[in-house]
Amino acid sequence: MVSATPPAPADGRRVALLTLGCARNEVDSEELAARLHSDGWQVTTDGEGADVVVVNTCGFVEKAKQDSIQTLLAAAETGAKVVAAGCMAERYGRELAESLPEAQAVLSFDDYPDISDRLGAVLAGTAVDAHTPRDRRDLLPLTPVRRAEAVVSVPGHGTRAAAAGPGGRSAPVEVDEHTPAHLRPVLRRRLDTGPVASLKLASGCDRRCAFCAIPAFRGAFVSRPPEALLAEAEWLARTGVRELVLVSENSSSYGKDLGDPRALEKLLPQLAAVDGIVRVRASYLQPAETRPGLVEAIATTPGVAPYFDLSFQHSSETVLRRMRRFGSTDRFLELLSSIRALAPEAGARSNFIVGFPGETRADVAELVRFLEEARLDAIGVFDYSDEDGTEAAGLPGKVTAATVKRRYDRLSALADELCAQRAEQRLGSTLQVLVDSVDEGVVEGRAAHQAPEVDGSTTLVAPPEGGVDLTALRPGDLVQCTVTATEGVDLIAVPDAMISAAPGVAR
């Protein structure tokens, strides 16, 4: 879709898209925005004054589900029609619709291609039947390389071939393997104007982690073709995006269903070469699938952040096996060592679950050993809870709630301490900081080891003399900085030189 805003449609239908959960959901919402905009809807992220509020829900863990319910209830209080979409809606379908009469419709991913018709029916007072949930892994062939043949609705993959016609409406366009990226249609409409955007590599997951329900409602792993990703990257750059964050349920699997397990290694330098893009960041890497070639590509490719978002989850080999995962403290430390041999200042983050069924004090001690030696920049700690439909929910050896809380509190405090220490190790170092925001003279940005929202930030302060004029900095600028202080995981730095100024801004 085009980035220009056409005149308001004559019928004035106004829809608000409220997005909860992860960056993958944000991409899905922007695809929905493009579909709705092309069909004449006014699209906003503000529920006030909207005819319909679509809540793109999260259904990952209990807290996320409660947040989704509260957002739906709050939307209903505005007087607008309320529609539930997203992961929670897909996961529970008819059950959610029956328990939440405040929502006029509960939509499946299968409804996304016809989202305009569904919302039109809601506005007209026509009942939209909720779906009966099913395991979406069954919709695709078991063999990954055969999945391209299947026709399945996969959110965020922009499957409708459309190009901008008069007034911003869509028109069919012929696309084949020879169509250059800049001529390929992009089914996406940005819902914010920041210098950072997520780019969805793939959807779904083929792993069978005992604690995770995501594959059942997101489906089997499906990669997007490289040419589609390059087209969307070029489109995002033209809208002012400077950093691309590559997202999926499992980025290290990218390309296996395309017949090329090295596809991500090849794609990274191509994305980094897109005009206007100054940083590409890969996320959601599985340690067991992070091959030496991929490590080298992320650690050494110019324009790619030497940043490793590794899904360790635990480090005790016994617990990992019960989780149906692979690895150990020593193997994970070897992986981190191989990364730092190529890029000593590389960033690394991970999440960990404490209190998994069967976890012992010895297992916790092994996890502590790993955390103390790993030198991670960011650590997320989650307390285990049973999730509907997962293998772990039926496992014996449940850890008591009091013990889970005690372990969670201990590991969370340790994580904060270790991450603060890691930040202090960067004192005096030189970093490349992308400016995210300038608000009343406060300039906030992120270095290569800091992903948006989850890994801390860098505050830029005026240099004592020389350097870069702080008042001239704008979102999207890439600046060379020297770290002068820390506040927990956050850094304070002085800008030394402009590396790449955001385009289109008068200085």
Side-chain angles (χ1 to χ4, degrees):
M1 312 309 296
V2 292
S3 58
T5 302
D11 58 11
R13 296 181 302 176
R14 190 167 186 264
V15 57
L17 287 169
L18 308 184
T19 307
L20 303 176
C22 64
R24 302 184 294 274
N25 257 15
E26 294 171 4
V27 176
D28 296 350
S29 286
E30 294 194 345
E31 181 184 288
L32 289 176
R35 292 184 184 278
L36 289 164
H37 176 76
S38 69
D39 285 334
W41 291 77
Q42 297 179 57
V43 182
T44 179
T45 56
D46 182 2
E48 291 298 326
D51 299 303
V52 183
V53 176
V54 177
V55 180
N56 190 349
T57 61
C58 179
F60 181 38
V61 293
E62 187 59 33
K63 183 180 184 304
K65 288 183 279 189
Q66 290 302 317
D67 288 346
S68 295
I69 294 293
Q70 292 303 317
T71 302
L72 286 160
L73 292 174
E77 292 177 359
T78 67
K81 304 285 188 180
V82 176
V83 172
C87 291
M88 186 178 179
E90 176 63 44
R91 186 175 180 183
Y92 293 103
R94 192 179 304 279
E95 178 185 346
L96 178 62
E98 292 173 352
S99 63
L100 193 72
E102 291 84 356
Q104 276 68 46
V106 173
L107 302 184
S108 166
F109 295 148
D110 295 323
D111 293 307
Y112 282 22
D114 301 309
I115 185 67
S116 183
D117 291 341
R118 299 293 182 272
L119 299 193
V122 167
L123 270 186
T126 304
V128 177
D129 291 336
H131 61 285
T132 299
R134 53 182 172 174
D135 191 329
R136 294 191 71 86
R137 290 172 292 193
D138 297 338
L139 303 181
L140 290 165
L142 184 64
T143 305
V145 294
R146 291 189 51 217
R147 290 174 189 165
E149 307 166 6
V151 179
V152 175
S153 179
V154 184
H157 282 224
T159 54
R160 184 175 71 186
R169 299 295 191 268
S170 60
V173 63
E174 294 295 331
V175 175
D176 60 26
E177 68 274 15
H178 303 297
T179 306
H182 70 280
L183 294 180
R184 289 177 176 271
V186 173
L187 190 59
R188 184 167 180 177
R189 181 175 177 79
R190 295 198 69 197
L191 295 173
D192 66 54
T193 57
V196 182
S198 296
L199 181 63
K200 183 177 277 194
L201 287 176
S203 290
C205 186
D206 288 342
R207 302 185 71 86
R208 294 294 183 267
C209 301
F211 55 81
C212 185
I214 290 176
F217 56 84
R218 275 289 182 178
F221 185 87
V222 181
S223 300
R224 295 181 65 193
E227 54 270 21
L229 293 167
L230 289 167
E232 191 165 321
E234 291 191 9
W235 179 85
L236 287 167
R238 292 196 297 272
T239 71
V241 169
R242 304 277 277 162
E243 176 177 328
L244 299 172
V245 181
L246 310 183
V247 300
S248 70
E249 275 77 22
N250 178 7
S251 296
S252 41
S253 277
Y254 178 72
K256 72 175 187 180
D257 52 326
L258 304 177
D260 186 0
R262 296 184 62 244
L264 184 55
E265 300 163 38
K266 299 173 183 177
L267 180 65
L268 286 170
Q270 293 178 283
L271 291 172
V274 170
D275 187 32
I277 299 299
V278 296
R279 181 186 288 163
V280 177
R281 183 187 303 277
S283 60
Y284 302 104
L285 303 173
Q286 289 290 339
E289 299 178 26
T290 306
R291 305 165 301 280
L294 181 57
V295 169
E296 182 177 1
I298 295 174
T300 66
T301 301
V304 175
Y307 171 84
F308 292 81
D309 175 15
L310 295 158
S311 178
F312 290 130
Q313 302 300 344
H314 211 285
S315 73
S316 164
E317 193 165 6
T318 302
V319 174
L320 288 167
R321 293 300 176 272
R322 288 173 68 85
M323 289 179 167
R324 294 199 179 276
R325 296 177 65 84
F326 303 94
S328 65
T329 294
D330 292 336
R331 288 175 64 181
F332 292 162
L333 290 174
E334 288 172 5
L335 174 58
L336 291 169
S337 179
S338 71
I339 290 168
R340 289 167 178 149
L342 294 169
E345 297 303 313
R349 80 168 324 274
S350 191
N351 294 324
F352 300 88
I353 298 172
V354 295
F356 190 80
E359 183 189 64
T360 65
R361 284 180 291 180
D363 295 324
V364 175
E366 185 69 357
L367 177 54
V368 168
R369 178 171 81 90
F370 172 70
L371 293 176
E372 290 178 339
E373 296 185 33
R375 295 168 56 224
L376 298 175
D377 293 276
I379 300 169
V381 180
F382 295 87
D383 49 338
Y384 172 80
S385 62
D386 289 337
E387 274 296 311
D388 299 336
T390 63
E391 179 185 358
L395 287 177
K398 289 290 194 296
V399 181
T400 66
T403 300
V404 172
K405 183 179 186 305
R406 186 169 61 251
R407 292 175 182 177
Y408 169 81
D409 291 343
R410 176 192 174 194
L411 270 294
S412 295
L414 176 63
D416 290 344
E417 178 184 351
L418 293 173
C419 291
Q421 291 174 6
R422 177 61 176 151
E424 290 174 356
Q425 292 172 0
R426 296 189 183 275
L427 281 169
S429 63
T430 299
L431 305 175
Q432 292 187 359
V433 174
L434 181 74
V435 176
D436 278 334
S437 65
V438 179
D439 185 13
E440 297 183 352
V442 178
V443 182
E444 292 283 345
R446 291 171 299 99
H449 70 281
Q450 296 171 320
E453 299 183 6
V454 294
D455 294 342
S457 63
T458 300
T459 301
L460 302 188
V461 296
E465 58 182 36
V468 175
D469 179 6
L470 200 67
T471 64
L473 292 177
R474 298 291 181 268
D477 288 342
L478 185 66
V479 188
Q480 178 178 295
C481 303
T482 299
V483 181
T484 58
T486 66
E487 293 181 353
V489 297
D490 298 321
L491 306 180
I492 298 171
V494 170
D496 303 318
M498 179 70 73
I499 299 173
S500 175
V505 179
R507 303 285 173 168

